[in-house]
Amino acid sequence: MRLVELGKTFVKWTLLGTWVGALSGAASWAFLACLAWATGTQKAQPNLLLLLPVAGIAIALLYEHFGQGVAGGNNLLLERIHDPTDVVPFRMAPMILITTVATHLFGGSAGREGTAVQMGGTLGQLAVGPLKLTEHDRRLLIMAGISGGFGAVFGTPWAGAIFGLEVLTVGRLRYDALFPCLLASFAGDFVCRALGTAHHAYQAHVGPLPAMTLPTFLWIVLAGACFAGSSALFSHLTHAIQTFGKKYLAMGWVRAAVGGAAVVALTYAVGTRDYNGLSLPLIETSFVQNVVLWAFALKILFTATTIGTGFKGGEVTPLFCIGATMGNAFAQLTHQPIGFFAALGFAAVFGGAANTPLACTVMGIELFGSSLALPLVIACGTAFVLSGHRGIYSSQLGIHPGARTEHGVSTWMPKLGRRKAK
């Protein structure tokens, strides 16, 4: 009887995980196609940037009238996993798709993983609604959808699978969802590629790797500390802008209009479009030549202003840019290999900001090759430990039962003036 039950469970999650992953992959392909169109149109029509405040007003009003139950985005998905008594409304998927494309079309500085993850988590529930699954099953399906969306949008299925397991609770993995998350991430990546998506290859830009001597090890640890500071700064600034806006600008559309105007002003002040959108050209440049030392700080400011005032998208690709430019600046100041430290920063800053060091280490290996495995472990681990667990996802739980992040700051690690969570 035990073998029969195990067999049924295996078949069930093979089908469900693959199905959720396929839906996530198809949705990610459609989203990436729309995003490419928006980015190309913004580049061809740069004056669209002047309409960013208007786009912000439209996004805010859309969520105010139709998206009250889905405005939480990624944090809502995490809450539904922690407490799966309610389903994620289907309208989350089309709304996040439309508003993310609008954010990029008009020049906002945002990412793309939030859209893919939210569509994956939503479609996972939609596909199996008629099956009347248990709360535990629904929890696993949302996690599988997160993995499917993440793996598909970045072309990193191993990292996508681990991200879905790691992002829920700081310092813990949910192994009960391992099988569906693996299947969903690999199925999502396969479908997305099969439909024609071509992901960027970063490995060729890393350049020669230094020998792993004691000085190199110490330089990596020091760089990891700098990456931790960038992670914490981004998280704190984004939450501070959100808090300030809600306190002094009560209306969501006013916050978005002010934020959009601020991004327009910043763009003209710096005199370049390098920090708008995904900033993929700036990331590529960071691997092969010197960029301005303060590029990472500008990307933090642009993205925190965009996301903190209500525009949609995600934080991950901007964090890639922050990390790569920070690594570039560190290499310039210490006379180290630029491509090598840009690659470490690319992965480690995200690991520190999302509290997902394992997923980011694996992502770095998938993108840059296994020869960087040890340096990535050191850099991502250092960034995670020293970031103070100040995270971009306020609904992450702390490692102790019931401990939840406060404004993105995990309560599981004792701080000065704060007692350890019981």
Side-chain angles (χ1 to χ4, degrees), residues 200-379:
H200 187 76
Y202 290 98
Q203 188 171 358
H205 301 308
V206 176
L209 305 182
M212 280 302 296
T213 61
L214 178 59
T216 301
F217 172 83
L218 295 176
W219 282 126
I220 294 172
V221 171
L222 181 58
C226 295
F227 300 148
S230 296
S231 300
L233 177 60
F234 176 81
S235 299
H236 274 306
L237 184 58
T238 303
H239 291 302
I241 291 174
Q242 290 172 339
T243 301
F244 179 88
K246 290 178 181 178
K247 183 176 181 179
Y248 295 103
L249 302 172
M251 303 298 292
W253 66 269
V254 175
R255 293 195 296 272
V258 171
V263 172
V264 174
L266 285 169
T267 303
Y268 283 98
V270 300
T272 177
R273 300 297 177 96
D274 286 348
Y275 307 101
N276 301 88
L278 296 172
S279 295
L280 294 180
L282 181 58
I283 294 175
E284 293 185 15
T285 302
S286 299
F287 285 94
V288 295
Q289 68 185 56
N290 293 347
V291 298
V292 295
L293 295 176
W294 52 89
F296 73 93
L298 289 174
K299 187 60 179 177
I300 289 175
L301 182 59
F302 270 73
T303 306
T305 302
T306 301
I307 299 298
T309 55
F311 288 88
K312 301 300 179 179
E315 300 92 346
V316 173
T317 305
L319 285 167
F320 291 163
C321 180
I322 294 165
T325 51
M326 165 61 85
N328 183 288
F330 180 88
Q332 290 185 58
L333 294 174
T334 58
H335 305 289
Q336 299 298 309
I338 288 175
F340 177 70
F341 278 93
L344 297 185
F346 182 103
V349 170
F350 172 42
N355 293 317
T356 56
L358 181 56
C360 294
T361 299
V362 173
M363 168 178 271
I365 293 171
E366 289 185 279
L367 292 176
F368 304 118
S370 59
S371 57
L372 261 73
L374 179 57
L376 284 166
V377 168
I378 298 169

Side-chain angles (χ1 to χ4, degrees), residues 75 88 119 170 258 281 313 363 377:
N75 285 307
V88 179
M119 290 193 301
V170 179
V258 171
M363 168 178 271
V377 168

Side-chain angles (χ1 to χ4, degrees), residues 74-75 78 82 113-114 117 146 150 154 159 162-173 227-236 238-239 314-320 322 345-361 363 379-398 405 407-410 412:
N74 288 354
N75 285 307
L78 298 184
H82 299 316
E113 103 295 338
V117 164
I146 290 174
F150 192 97
F154 293 119
I162 297 172
F163 182 79
L165 305 175
E166 191 178 22
V167 72
L168 304 179
T169 304
V170 179
R172 285 184 177 174
L173 294 175
F227 300 148
S230 296
S231 300
L233 177 60
F234 176 81
S235 299
H236 274 306
T238 303
H239 291 302
E315 300 92 346
V316 173
T317 305
L319 285 167
F320 291 163
I322 294 165
F346 182 103
V349 170
F350 172 42
N355 293 317
T356 56
L358 181 56
C360 294
T361 299
M363 168 178 271
C380 292
T382 303
F384 169 68
V385 171
L386 297 183
S387 66
H389 309 294
R390 294 165 172 82
I392 55 177
Y393 304 127
S394 59
S395 293
Q396 276 181 324
L397 290 181
T405 55
H407 302 293
V409 183
S410 170
W412 76 271

Side-chain angles (χ1 to χ4, degrees), residues 77-90:
L77 291 180
L78 298 184
E79 290 170 4
R80 288 294 181 266
I81 295 172
H82 299 316
D83 181 16
T85 52
D86 294 325
V87 298
V88 179
F90 171 70

